[in-house]
Amino acid sequence: MRILMFGPPGSGKGTYASRLSVKLNAPHISTGDLVRDEIKKQTDLGKRISDYSSRGQLVPDKTICELLQKRISQPDCKSGFILDGFPRTIPQAQELEKISSTDLIINLDVPDDVIIERLSTRLTCKSCGAIYNERSLKPRTEGKCDKCHGQLYKREDDQPKVIQERLNVYRNQTQPLLEYYQKTGQIRNVSNKEAGLPPDKVVQEILKIIENES
Ligand code: ADP
């Protein structure tokens, strides 16, 4: 199944997508991780896009579409994938249509105060990108990833000013996509109003939706 995880920054797209990936045995493709990987490796592309990411702005459509195309053409994506953070603009959605069909769009609906609380307490693994939270999703050992023992850090774009910019970018450039996708009949809304709701509860709800579709 080809699933799109849709929702504002901090709505849990990455957290739920990585858990769904294990349950459904389908690759989790996070364009944010692809971007951070290029920056970490200091590739030419990484150097060109690091400013956008640290300011909370979108990487140009052409660049992100090239990264996505490269990843999605790998053999492991043939029978399905869970896309997290793509598309974020209408041109990106049009580009995706040229590359692949989609089956289901999970729209995570989360209020701004919950987003701000989550992002400002979020911890990310430097090595594998796994997501934790200082309050609601603590690692077993402080500062260390449960999965790979990598170092946990606060993302540069999880600072209050950048969080606000990312929310603005989401409202102005990404949210209009919901209207665009309405005609497909593929959108399923998952509402998540509590900051500390255990991720597995939400994942169960999403799995039920997927079961009903297949
Ligand atoms: P978020 O928590 O905001 O959803 P992501 O990890 O998905 O964060 O993305 C981090 C950054 O990577 C974005 O702020 C943006 O600069 C860049 N990025 C990721 N996906 C895209 C995309 N589809 N289009 C443009 N830029 C993107």
Side-chain angles (χ1 to χ4, degrees):
M1 205 177 222
R2 297 168 175 88
I3 302 171
L4 305 188
M5 299 297 286
F6 196 86
S11 55
K13 299 184 297 290
T15 304
Y16 308 142
S18 71
R19 286 166 158 77
L20 288 168
S21 162
V22 176
K23 302 254 183 213
L24 301 170
N25 194 23
H28 165 204
I29 305 176
S30 153
T31 45
D33 283 349
L34 297 180
V35 164
R36 281 183 290 279
D37 207 40
E38 293 288 328
I39 296 172
K40 193 162 97 183
K41 288 189 197 140
Q42 300 193 320
T43 61
D44 285 345
L45 182 77
K47 286 178 192 157
R48 273 186 278 130
I49 60 182
S50 86
D51 252 16
Y52 294 101
S53 163
S54 59
R55 280 187 276 128
Q57 286 167 2
L58 295 185
V59 168
D61 285 337
K62 188 169 176 289
T63 312
I64 201 82
C65 288
E66 278 169 19
L67 276 177
L68 193 266
Q69 157 98 55
K70 209 164 110 193
R71 177 63 189 92
I72 229 173
S73 57
Q74 304 287 312
D76 64 332
C77 295
K78 272 223 156 59
S79 48
F81 48 76
I82 304 158
L83 210 46
D84 151 22
F86 190 98
R88 266 166 142 112
T89 63
I90 290 177
Q92 289 181 21
Q94 291 166 334
E95 204 50 40
L96 179 62
E97 277 161 30
K98 292 186 204 157
I99 310 173
S100 171
S101 60
T102 50
D103 303 305
L104 195 62
I105 300 165
I106 302 292
N107 176 39
L108 301 166
D109 179 18
V110 181
D112 280 8
D113 56 333
V114 173
I115 289 172
I116 293 165
E117 154 79 15
R118 275 202 191 146
L119 291 183
S120 48
T121 50
R122 174 160 79 175
L123 296 169
T124 306
C125 174
K126 235 179 195 145
S127 309
C128 73
I131 300 160
Y132 297 86
N133 188 283
E134 287 171 344
R135 297 202 181 132
S136 55
L137 196 62
K138 291 183 185 174
R140 281 195 288 270
T141 310
E142 203 184 316
K144 291 255 177 295
C145 177
D146 291 352
K147 295 176 192 161
C148 75
H149 306 290
Q151 195 190 336
L152 304 185
Y153 79 116
K154 276 195 185 228
R155 266 170 49 179
E156 198 183 356
D157 58 348
D158 281 344
Q159 313 299 330
K161 244 174 92 183
V162 188
I163 293 174
Q164 197 50 57
E165 175 62 13
R166 285 157 67 202
L167 280 172
N168 294 342
V169 166
Y170 176 76
R171 304 278 176 242
N172 295 330
Q173 301 187 54
T174 305
Q175 211 167 21
L177 267 179
L178 278 178
E179 182 76 19
Y180 178 86
Y181 277 120
Q182 210 69 51
K183 63 176 187 296
T184 64
Q186 293 178 341
I187 300 177
R188 301 290 176 273
N189 295 309
V190 173
S191 168
N192 188 343
K193 306 256 184 273
E194 284 173 56
L197 198 68
D200 285 340
K201 280 219 156 141
V202 184
V203 170
Q204 284 309 325
E205 191 181 336
I206 300 174
L207 283 171
K208 257 191 219 144
I209 295 174
I210 295 170
E211 225 170 81
N212 286 339
E213 298 299 323
S214 35

